[in-house]
Amino acid sequence: MKTNELFDLSHTLAAEYLKGFEFPWAALAGLKDFIIELGKTLDSNSYEEVSTDVWVHKSAKVAATAHLGAPCIVGANSEVRHCAFVRGGALIGCGCVVGNSTELKNVILFDGVQVPHYNYVGDSILGYKAHMGAGSITSNVKSDKTPVAVKGDGIEIKTGLKKLGALLGDFTEIGCNSVLNPGTVTGRNVTVYPLSCVRGIIPENSILKTGGKVVKKRI
C-alpha cells in the first residue's frame, strides 16, 4: 500500500512530490496546488500553456472536442481523444491515452497509462502502464458519505478522505465494465477480470477472478 511499493516513481513528473507521502492517497489533497506550481517550472520550449494553468506538451495530441479544465498537465506523446472531459487537477504523464468520453478529476496518471474508453477516474492514482478496460470506473464516494478506509486482511487504515477512488500499482490491468469501489488498492502487476466489483487491497502479482477469488500469478 505504500507509495514506493506500488509505483516506480521514475515514470512521473510527480516523483519528488509523491516521495513526501508514505501512503499515496495523502498526496491527493494538495494535488491541484502541486500541479499549478509544477506547471510554472515546465520548459516553455516543450510545453505550451494553452489556457490559464493548463499545460500541454507540444508532441501531445488533444482533440478539438476535448475539455481540459485547470489545473492540468498533459505530457509528451499523450493523446486526449474526442469528448474527453478533464475536470481539473489532472497530471497526465507521457505516452498516455485519455479516450472518448473518459472523465478525469484530481488524478495522477503515470507514464503509459491508458484510460481509453468510457472511463471515470476520480481522486485516484494510476501507476506506470496501468490500463482500465472499456467502461471500467472508479467509485470515489461511499453511499453514506463517510470517510473512506483502506481495508485488507487484518488491515484497516482510516484515510480521513471523503473522496478516494483507486490506487493502481504499476502494470495493473482492469477488465471491462469493472467497478473499483472507494479505497481500492491493487499492487503491481495485478489483473482484474471483466465485470468485477473490486474493493479493498489486491496483493501484487495476483489475479482477481470472477466471484472475487484472488489467485497468485505464475511467474
Side-chain angles (χ1 to χ4, degrees), residues 28-200:
L28 293 171
L31 182 56
K32 289 185 178 181
D33 290 337
F34 166 73
I35 292 172
I36 291 171
E37 293 307 310
L38 176 62
K40 295 175 182 177
T41 70
L42 296 174
D43 183 358
S44 60
N45 292 317
S46 299
Y47 285 84
E48 180 181 0
E49 188 173 5
V50 297
S51 61
T52 302
D53 295 334
V54 175
W55 294 269
V56 177
H57 196 278
K58 293 180 180 179
S59 66
K61 297 179 180 179
V62 179
T65 52
H67 173 80
L68 299 180
C72 173
I73 295 173
V74 180
N77 300 308
S78 286
E79 183 178 0
V80 183
R81 293 176 177 169
H82 173 67
C83 288
F85 180 31
V86 180
R87 287 169 54 187
L91 175 55
I92 300 168
C94 300
C96 294
V97 176
V98 180
N100 172 31
S101 302
T102 291
E103 180 179 348
L104 303 181
K105 173 251 180 187
N106 206 44
V107 297
I108 297 174
L109 305 186
F110 276 57
D111 299 340
V113 166
Q114 294 188 349
V115 282
H117 308 289
Y118 306 104
N119 305 110
Y120 172 69
V121 187
D123 301 287
S124 298
I125 302 176
L126 277 55
Y128 179 55
K129 289 193 174 181
H131 172 260
M132 293 183 66
S136 60
I137 63 170
T138 64
S139 173
N140 60 338
V141 180
K142 294 172 63 177
S143 58
D144 61 7
K145 307 299 188 294
T146 58
V148 178
V150 174
K151 299 179 181 181
D153 290 339
I155 298 172
E156 179 175 350
I157 300 178
K158 297 179 180 179
T159 69
L161 300 173
K162 286 191 175 182
K163 292 186 177 182
L164 175 60
L167 305 163
L168 304 185
D170 298 340
F171 304 105
T172 290
E173 289 279 345
I174 302 298
C176 296
N177 289 323
S178 293
V179 176
L180 309 178
N181 284 279
T184 292
V185 180
T186 67
R188 298 186 190 194
N189 195 35
V190 164
T191 298
V192 172
Y193 273 21
L195 298 173
S196 294
C197 181
V198 188
R199 64 179 69 247

Side-chain angles (χ1 to χ4, degrees), residues 17-35:
Y17 177 66
L18 288 171
K19 285 178 183 178
F21 301 96
E22 181 179 15
F23 296 108
W25 55 79
L28 293 171
L31 182 56
K32 289 185 178 181
D33 290 337
F34 166 73
I35 292 172

